[in-house]
Amino acid sequence: MVAAEAFRRMTNALIAAERGILFGRVAEGWPQDARRILVHRSGNIGDTVVAIPALLAVRHLYPAAEVTLLTCPGHGGLPSAVDVLDGTRIVDDYVVYRRTVGKEFRERLLLAKRLRARGFDLFVSLSSAGGGKRVATLLRDMVFARAAGCRAVGGFHLVSLPQQWAGRGKRARGVVLAESERLLALVPGGLAFWRNTRFEWPTMSELRERAACMVAKHNLDAGTGFVVVHPGAKLGVKRWMPERFGAVACHVSKVYGVKVAITGSA
């Protein structure tokens, strides 16, 4: 783990050097007077949900600012961050972009030009990439933030070891943060803020009605409760064997006396 920690420190030193070149300061900015904040977080449902505590921490840090989420939904057809957060007031606005193979560089230039016109004060990176890929992503995104006209950046450092090292022996425990904690640690005071916050999902009446219709349609007893199991993931390393999902569902149904609903697609 000594080598891994040395890797983290060297990476942060490299990121700080690039920040000094691009923004004129080695330390992260987080200007107190920021009024327009651009938060970058890509992905679908899972990536968005684990980022909610960090998004709320940014909102807490800048209660009067306009917070815009810059996001790429990834695979087509899957729910995006907009679908998850729309109507919750966790962020004020969205800028959605998509990647086209072979056209990434040109698309980034056009996106940077589009964002520059909005005059953002702070670019916050909530990158979900892991390991060495995360480092390359941070270095690239910092150049993008400068091209987009942001005057300061936050979230550009490694606060823990990459999650890939979590299973490399008992010595890795305690130095690899869960994703939601890692993202909170990127925001000044984020972890302390979340420990003292009770969050309730702001369910809208429209969503309640849709949920009630789904419960009735699938004959789920909302009175005694039910459990939803989503046996799938985009990445193969995150997929469990189907029979084990089935065993968990049977156990939950037997022990707690509730019905089990399976979500997903073919």
Side-chain angles (χ1 to χ4, degrees):
M1 296 311 297
V2 173
E5 178 60 20
F7 165 79
R8 188 182 73 85
R9 293 186 178 185
M10 287 193 302
T11 297
N12 285 335
L14 176 62
I15 293 172
E18 183 185 31
R19 185 165 49 237
I21 294 172
L22 294 176
F23 295 92
R25 56 190 307 165
V26 174
E28 288 201 329
W30 297 96
Q32 294 181 358
D33 61 342
R35 288 295 175 263
R36 293 184 178 180
I37 300 173
L38 185 65
V39 181
H40 183 212
R41 176 69 176 182
S42 296
N44 302 110
I45 295 178
D47 294 315
T48 302
V49 170
V50 296
I52 287 176
L55 290 171
L56 290 171
V58 172
R59 170 70 76 192
H60 175 74
L61 198 61
Y62 296 99
E66 178 186 279
V67 179
T68 298
L69 180 65
L70 175 64
T71 183
C72 176
H75 297 278
L78 294 176
S80 67
V82 179
D83 297 309
V84 177
L85 300 176
D86 195 29
T88 63
R89 297 188 178 89
I90 292 176
V91 298
D92 300 300
D93 195 10
Y94 307 91
V95 173
V96 180
Y97 68 96
R98 296 184 182 276
R99 301 186 186 98
T100 304
V101 177
K103 299 181 180 179
E104 292 92 342
F105 182 73
R106 181 175 181 274
E107 289 176 342
R108 283 184 174 274
L109 287 178
L110 293 175
L111 179 59
K113 182 179 180 180
R114 174 183 167 194
L115 295 172
R116 194 183 310 122
R118 297 187 56 174
F120 288 103
D121 300 306
L122 174 64
F123 184 105
V124 178
S125 173
L126 298 181
S127 172
S128 59
K133 185 179 179 181
R134 178 182 298 165
V135 176
T137 298
L138 290 173
L139 295 174
R140 180 200 65 197
D141 286 354
M142 197 183 303
V143 174
F144 175 81
R146 189 71 183 89
C150 302
R151 63 185 180 93
V153 291
F156 283 87
H157 61 278
L158 298 185
V159 295
S160 71
L161 300 180
Q163 289 185 350
Q164 293 93 320
W165 292 336
R168 299 185 181 181
K170 295 181 179 180
R171 295 177 65 189
R173 298 177 183 175
V175 293
V176 179
L177 297 177
E179 182 68 353
S180 59
E181 293 177 324
R182 183 186 71 80
L183 296 174
L184 276 168
L186 294 174
V187 183
L191 288 169
F193 157 76
W194 189 248
R195 281 194 292 266
N196 296 298
T197 299
R198 180 182 177 183
F199 174 68
E200 294 185 5
W201 188 262
T203 307
M204 297 173 289
S205 58
E206 178 187 350
L207 294 180
R208 292 194 189 98
E209 293 173 2
R210 288 172 56 186
C213 290
M214 292 184 66
V215 168
K217 178 181 178 180
H218 297 285
N219 195 29
L220 297 171
D221 189 347
T224 58
F226 56 91
V227 174
V228 177
V229 177
H230 186 79
K234 288 185 295 185
L235 299 179
V237 295
K238 295 183 179 180
R239 295 173 191 158
W240 214 17
M241 288 181 285
E243 56 269 24
R244 293 194 176 181
F245 276 110
V248 169
C250 290
H251 176 78
V252 169
S253 178
K254 181 179 179 180
V255 172
Y256 298 100
V258 296
K259 291 185 177 180
V260 177
I262 304 296
T263 63
S265 64

